Amino acid sequence: MRPSTLFYGALGLLSPIATSALELNPDDPDSIKAAAKVVAAGTRDWYTGDRVGDTPGNLPDPYYWWLCGAMFGSFVDYWYYTGDDTYNAITKQAIIHQIGDPKAFMPQNQTSTLGNDDQAFWGMTALSAAENKLPDVEGEMSFLSLAIAVFNTQAPRWNARTCGGGLNWQIFTFNNGYDYKNTISNGAFFNIAARLAKYTGNATYTEWATKAYEWELSVGLISKDFHFYDGTSERQNCSDVNHIQWTYNAGIHMAGAAALWNLSTTTGDEAGAAKWRGRIEGIMKNIDPFFNPEGAPGVMSEVACERNGLCDHDQRSFKAYLARWMGFTMLTAPWTRQTLMPKLRTSAVAAAKQCGPGKGGCGMRWWRGVNDGEVGVGEQMSALEVMQNLLIDQVAGPVGEQTGGISKNDPSAGSDGDKLTVQYNAITTGDKAGAGFLTILVLVFLFAGGWWLITGE
């Protein structure tokens, strides 16, 4: 993800546009599927990578590479929840085309802007494909192995030389923003490690997931009362934290914690189960500010930038990931449903009311009740995920190697050429600033809605 300037909102259309509201009955799976089908088609209309002369796995400008990987994660979810395989072919084509060298979602044409979070979003899409039993592509790396490859290339980047650990935002030291240790890069690493631990049972993944979460706590990226802040700079030894809060940072940690709770319960680790349950409960309590826009209680919003119209193209997709990981959490830790499902239902109904067919069918501010004209890939994805994750009763939940998984496991994936494989103890035990950092701080003080974004209280 690129540094935010919060100015991209000015590029959108500023007045509501006419649209035929979708009918969505949150109690009727057929109604949900019908609405999701319309929104999925609108999302697909933004993608050009399968056209002759274009590149599979890329969206047209102004969208960055990572967002395309995240979009295909939405299509993996769409197939999983609805059974509609319309987008499976382009999804598989894009994933395989973007494997890169080393074979871990590191294409050479992305080197100048490649962040750990960017790589991780492609890795999480591959991991979702494995968990959801999307068949591997014959003759290519398996989806599970691709997720492992991301982990195997990121674990050696753990940078204990500054701040006692953590992943830097950028992969390469010559890229602007390398000195920033952002929550989404570390949260995505935590998420992948936790889900790989659940999928494979390998204790090394559990150890790394726990290490990442505890490090974030230690430097204040996660507060004691479960607020998730944007990041911190190693130039000040991570002593100053950027207190902006985004929906996806809360969601990505909630899902990882749910995976570790599930694993702890399965293995009979009562202490681990209690620890991760407590963390899930804390996260669920503290996502409430994301569901309380004025005049529309219960409707999800990106509080830091929606009301002031300053969400950039990345931030317009963040609600998609909170919705996605709310669904994953409910499937993996079913006791969370009573808390999370009402929020998802209210948000999905509100999203449907301002969505219609076509490329610009869904706007950004669901709480307005009409399409606000702020349209794009992120807006479509967010509406799609909040609708399709209502369908958790239609699926069995994410699988693992011993519970129906079909994706092949290559523990050494990602080590080719760079010798980056993590040494496993398999038996028992064993990321955003640059030029945008100051801009964000200034603009949040001036414009952001909600004092809690700054104080975290």
Side-chain angles (χ1 to χ4, degrees):
M1 270 150 275
R2 306 286 64 78
S4 164
T5 63
L6 295 182
F7 286 125
Y8 285 101
L11 300 178
L13 301 175
L14 297 179
S15 58
I17 58 177
T19 184
S20 300
L22 298 179
E23 296 291 335
L24 188 149
N25 179 351
D27 296 313
D28 181 0
D30 289 337
S31 173
I32 299 168
K33 290 178 182 179
K37 184 173 183 176
V38 172
V39 179
T43 306
R44 196 268 184 264
D45 285 345
W46 288 93
Y47 180 63
T48 60
D50 60 329
R51 297 179 184 176
V52 175
D54 211 328
T55 304
N58 279 352
L59 283 162
D61 288 339
Y63 297 107
Y64 287 108
W65 173 75
W66 81 273
L67 187 60
C68 196
M71 182 193 73
F72 283 112
S74 293
F75 284 143
V76 169
D77 284 352
Y78 175 74
W79 164 74
Y80 181 58
Y81 284 122
T82 70
D84 182 354
D85 65 359
T86 298
Y87 310 110
N88 286 12
I90 60 171
T91 297
K92 291 182 176 182
Q93 179 196 43
I95 291 173
I96 298 305
H97 194 84
Q98 293 297 332
I99 290 175
D101 184 22
K103 295 181 177 179
F105 296 119
M106 294 182 65
Q108 292 183 351
N109 64 350
Q110 298 296 329
T111 300
S112 64
T113 58
L114 188 60
N116 280 300
D117 50 356
D118 303 334
Q119 181 193 25
F121 266 88
W122 280 92
M124 288 186 288
T125 289
L127 186 50
S128 292
E131 291 168 333
N132 296 348
K133 297 177 67 172
L134 184 69
D136 290 336
V137 178
E138 187 174 353
E140 302 288 351
M141 287 182 69
S142 71
F143 295 128
L144 176 61
S145 294
L146 283 167
I148 292 172
V150 171
F151 174 86
N152 277 344
T153 53
Q154 291 199 349
R157 298 179 196 142
W158 186 262
N159 182 9
R161 295 184 302 275
T162 59
C163 309
L167 291 179
N168 291 70
W169 168 37
Q170 287 292 296
I171 291 175
F172 301 106
T173 59
F174 52 77
N175 283 344
N176 188 34
Y178 177 82
D179 63 294
Y180 199 57
K181 294 192 176 185
N182 59 344
T183 301
I184 192 58
S185 291
N186 288 280
F189 179 68
F190 163 72
N191 181 287
I192 290 172
R195 290 161 62 192
L196 285 174
K198 177 184 178 298
Y199 193 105
T200 68
N202 190 313
T204 298
Y205 297 127
T206 308
E207 292 167 5
W208 272 101
T210 302
K211 182 177 183 177
Y213 192 98
E214 297 295 343
W215 177 82
E216 289 185 87
L217 277 173
S218 73
V219 298
L221 294 182
I222 305 172
S223 74
K224 62 182 179 180
D225 51 356
F226 301 99
H227 294 295
F228 294 85
Y229 302 128
D230 186 76
T232 185
S233 174
E234 65 181 9
R235 292 186 181 183
Q236 289 81 41
N237 198 34
C238 299
S239 59
D240 293 326
V241 174
N242 178 349
H243 283 87
I244 295 178
Q245 296 180 62
W246 305 106
T247 51
Y248 74 160
N249 278 328
I252 205 166
H253 288 87
M254 180 167 58
L260 292 174
W261 174 85
N262 184 286
L263 175 63
S264 298
T265 302
T266 301
T267 60
D269 178 6
E270 294 182 4
K275 176 178 69 175
W276 291 109
R277 178 171 181 135
R279 288 172 171 176
I280 297 167
E281 289 172 342
I283 296 169
M284 289 194 300
K285 178 180 178 181
N286 284 287
I287 61 173
D288 284 348
F290 296 123
F291 291 87
N292 196 32
E294 184 177 349
V299 177
M300 190 190 301
S301 66
E302 198 62 60
V303 183
C305 62
E306 272 194 21
R307 187 166 293 279
N308 54 36
L310 295 174
C311 295
D312 70 19
H313 292 296
D314 288 350
Q315 295 151 7
R316 294 168 185 231
S317 72
F318 288 178
K319 290 186 295 186
Y321 318 124
L322 177 55
R324 176 186 300 176
W325 289 316
M326 288 170 69
F328 179 94
T329 298
M330 288 188 287
L331 286 168
T332 308
W335 53 269
T336 63
R337 178 173 179 150
Q338 184 176 359
T339 300
L340 296 179
M341 183 56 82
K343 291 179 169 65
L344 207 61
R345 286 166 59 94
T346 301
S347 298
V349 170
K353 287 181 178 178
Q354 58 84 54
C355 271
K359 189 174 180 179
C362 299
M364 180 173 62
R365 302 174 184 88
W366 303 338
W367 41 270
R368 279 193 175 181
V370 294
N371 189 319
D372 62 2
E374 301 277 2
V375 299
V377 177
E379 291 87 342
Q380 289 293 132
M381 286 173 56
S382 295
L384 176 61
E385 289 280 13
V386 79
M387 293 176 188
Q388 64 195 20
N389 277 277
L390 294 177
L391 296 168
I392 59 171
D393 289 336
Q394 306 300 304
V395 296
V399 299
E401 276 193 303
Q402 305 303 316
T403 55
I406 60 174
S407 193
K408 295 179 181 178
N409 184 350
D410 177 5
S412 67
S415 62
D416 56 310
D418 287 285
K419 312 244 180 247
L420 294 175
T421 304
V422 174
Q423 296 300 311
Y424 284 91
N425 184 357
I427 304 285
T428 54
T429 61
D431 1 70
K432 160 170 139 166
F437 181 65
L438 293 178
T439 307
I440 292 174
L441 290 177
V442 171
L443 286 173
V444 167
F445 278 107
L446 290 176
F447 301 114
W451 57 269
W452 66 275
L453 287 168
I454 303 300
T455 65
E457 297 176 356

